[in-house]
Every structure is written in structure tokens, then in C-alpha cells.
Amino acid sequence: MEAANVNPTEEEFYYFCYQCRLEFQITWLSFISISSDEREFTCVNCKREVVAVFKVEKSDFDDCYPYPCEVCDVRFRTLTQLLHHSYLHSDALPFKCDFCQGVFPKSSLFNRHRVPKTLQCNKCSKSVLGEFCPARVFDEKNEFICKKCSIGSELPST
């Protein structure tokens, strides 16, 4: 009969700082809090050196988060999460705000970026409910013109 591995080596664990530990919502993972005055641990997620960490067995963690990013080694529970993360490395984020040029990996984040606001067209005075970038400030100098009134308006010269 083989002897059980009672005292696992440090190579069998991942270490996470407190902030990164909060990102992992699976409750059955056994994160163990440790600290040391004699050495620093490197968080596998953010790469910071810290003296107080949470450790978890690599095999348990890899089973819960089986999809690693090939660029930065961050792990994900689903392929969709990995795909959305991969946009950050490729600069090919599919959703872009035309006003502030902000980019987003998912439509839900892009839609959350835009806020509903009722504006009045400066030409026809019609009220229009739309979703606008919060970076856009509408005041007397920054006129809003609805789509109906903007059709046929002069295009800027090139």
C-alpha cells in the first residue's frame, strides 16, 4: 500500500492575494489563508508579491477553472469567458462607443456603459429617449438633433 501524501509540497498550490481571491465565487474550493513574516508569495492572478495569501490545491482549482489563457495564464470556468478575456490581448474588442471610443468585450457591458436619457431635438423640439455615453455632456452649446432632422443635413467637408 502506498503512503498518502500527508504534507503536500508548495508546487501543488496556487497562491492568491485577498483581492484576487474575491474573484472566485465557487464556494466548495478550499482556500486556506496563510501569512509569513519570513517570505513573500506571488499571486498567480495579478503577480503581486504579498505576505498574506490564500492557497488552494492546483488540482482542485484546475478542475473548476479548466480553460487557461495562453497569454497570461489566467484561468476561466467557460470557453465563453476565455473568449471575452482574449479580446483584451488582441485589441479586437467587438463593441465600441462612438462617442468616447471605449471598447467592450461583451454587449452587456457595452449596454451598461450607455445610460438612458430623454433629449429634445433642437430643430423639431421632439423628445427622444435614447441611450447615450455618460462622457457626453449635453448643454446649450452641444446641440442634439434627432435622426429624422439629421437626414439630408450637410456633411462635414473633407
Side-chain angles (χ1 to χ4, degrees), residues 21-144:
R21 159 63 183 101
L22 295 176
E23 294 178 18
F24 301 102
Q25 301 299 320
I26 294 181
T27 55
W28 63 266
L29 276 175
S30 306
F31 284 96
I32 301 166
S33 175
I34 60 172
S35 63
S36 171
D37 292 333
E38 300 167 7
R39 72 169 277 212
E40 290 186 336
F41 299 92
T42 303
C43 175
V44 296
N45 199 38
C46 68
K47 310 297 185 225
R48 288 187 299 163
E49 296 283 330
V50 290
V51 294
V53 293
F54 290 88
K55 73 178 183 177
V56 64
E57 287 192 38
K58 285 183 178 182
S59 59
D60 290 344
F61 190 81
D62 291 346
D63 287 345
C64 287
Y65 295 91
Y67 303 103
C69 172
E70 293 178 0
V71 177
C72 66
D73 293 328
V74 173
R75 301 184 73 87
F76 298 91
R77 288 188 350 199
T78 68
L79 281 172
T80 302
Q81 290 173 329
L82 176 59
L83 173 66
H84 291 155
H85 169 80
S86 70
Y87 292 137
L88 299 174
H89 296 300
S90 67
D91 289 333
L93 293 165
F95 300 96
K96 184 176 182 180
C97 176
D98 292 331
F99 184 77
C100 72
Q101 307 306 312
V103 288
F104 305 90
K106 301 191 288 187
S107 63
S108 62
L109 295 174
F110 176 60
N111 290 335
R112 192 181 312 159
H113 166 74
R114 300 181 300 171
V115 293
K117 188 171 187 148
T118 302
L119 299 174
Q120 189 173 24
C121 176
N122 284 15
K123 286 191 176 182
C124 69
S125 299
K126 179 181 175 186
S127 291
V128 177
L129 175 63
E131 292 185 346
F132 301 96
C133 174
R136 175 129 190 208
V137 178
F138 291 98
D139 58 17
E140 303 88 38
K141 297 175 187 171
N142 194 358
E143 296 182 349
F144 171 75

